[in-house]
Amino acid sequence: MGKGSAKIENTIRTLRFHAGEITQAALAEKVGVTRQTIVAMEQGRYSPSLEVAFRVARAFGAPLEQVFQYRGEIE
Amino acid sequence: MTYKELNASVMILCGVGVAAWVGWQAVAVPALDLESVAWRLLYAIGLNIIINIVLMVLATIVVSIAQRDELKDERADERDRAISDKSMRNGYFAVSIGGLAVIVALAMGQGPDVAAYVLFAALMIGGLIDPVSRLVYYRIG
């Protein structure tokens, strides 16, 4: 969905595990999106807006770069 | 299956059903004049809306029983809005092509009754492309 979605990876699944296996629904509640959006993000099918990306990072208390990584080429 | 996916599926089902009914009526019982055609199409649009509501209520109850959990619509977030925008764009594109087809039909000497059917087809196709797009974007991304 998001632009360049194939090149943006994330570690949400790992971070959920380290956060005491917080559920997708609980994370969605914290971030203010639907559970389906969290599922789509984890599966790499959706790249969130910058605002939601920051909210996800804040929910884990982690810097943005630890949650999302850009794998594309920069010209 | 989420509420939004179910809603899209029901819209597709109703759209196909009503379009098939109108198509069959146009062939089997040709209308005599433009007014009859217009009333038939208005009836079909009204029928589509009513069937859609009834089927959605029934489908929600059936899915809720099957999942043993109430199927509720969640508040739309940015992904829902993005999917909605892209799906509407696809539907609008189809309706635009249909509008052009109406003008072409009239320019080719077709009667206004044929033009009315072409316009109805364009609206139905546009109305189908929207939920199909939603399903594809929700499922595939």
Side-chain angles (χ1 to χ4, degrees), chain A residues 1-68:
Chain A
M1 275 295 299
K3 286 176 185 170
S5 55
K7 292 172 185 169
I8 295 178
E9 295 173 358
N10 67 75
T11 52
I12 294 175
R13 179 70 193 95
T14 309
L15 288 164
R16 280 201 303 114
F17 174 76
H18 289 304
E21 201 63 78
I22 179 177
T23 63
Q24 292 169 331
L27 178 61
E29 180 80 31
K30 264 186 170 182
V31 175
V33 296
T34 62
R35 192 182 73 82
Q36 283 71 36
T37 297
I38 298 294
V39 173
M41 274 194 265
E42 275 192 19
Q43 293 175 348
R45 290 188 289 117
Y46 178 64
S47 298
S49 67
L50 199 53
E51 186 185 341
V52 168
F54 271 111
R55 290 211 298 261
V56 172
R58 185 167 289 180
F60 288 118
L64 190 66
E65 301 81 11
Q66 193 185 335
V67 185
F68 296 96

Side-chain angles (χ1 to χ4, degrees), chain B residues 24-106:
Chain B
W24 176 77
Q25 284 274 306
V27 174
V29 195
L32 297 174
D33 53 14
L34 181 62
E35 195 179 324
S36 307
V37 172
W39 274 111
R40 183 179 284 174
L41 297 181
L42 275 178
Y43 180 69
I45 290 169
L47 196 69
N48 192 16
I49 293 168
I50 292 168
I51 293 175
N52 214 318
I53 293 168
V54 172
L55 262 186
M56 194 58 211
V57 170
L58 290 176
T60 304
I61 293 169
V62 169
V63 172
S64 295
I65 291 170
Q67 291 182 344
R68 295 168 192 273
D69 188 27
E70 189 184 351
L71 186 68
K72 281 189 265 183
D73 193 13
E74 292 182 87
R75 202 171 71 179
D77 63 9
E78 62 171 32
R79 179 168 170 258
D80 295 317
R81 284 190 288 275
I83 287 175
S84 177
D85 290 348
K86 288 175 80 172
S87 303
M88 276 178 68
R89 179 201 61 190
N90 296 346
Y92 173 79
F93 182 74
V95 172
S96 301
I97 298 291
L100 184 68
V102 171
I103 296 170
V104 169
L106 290 170

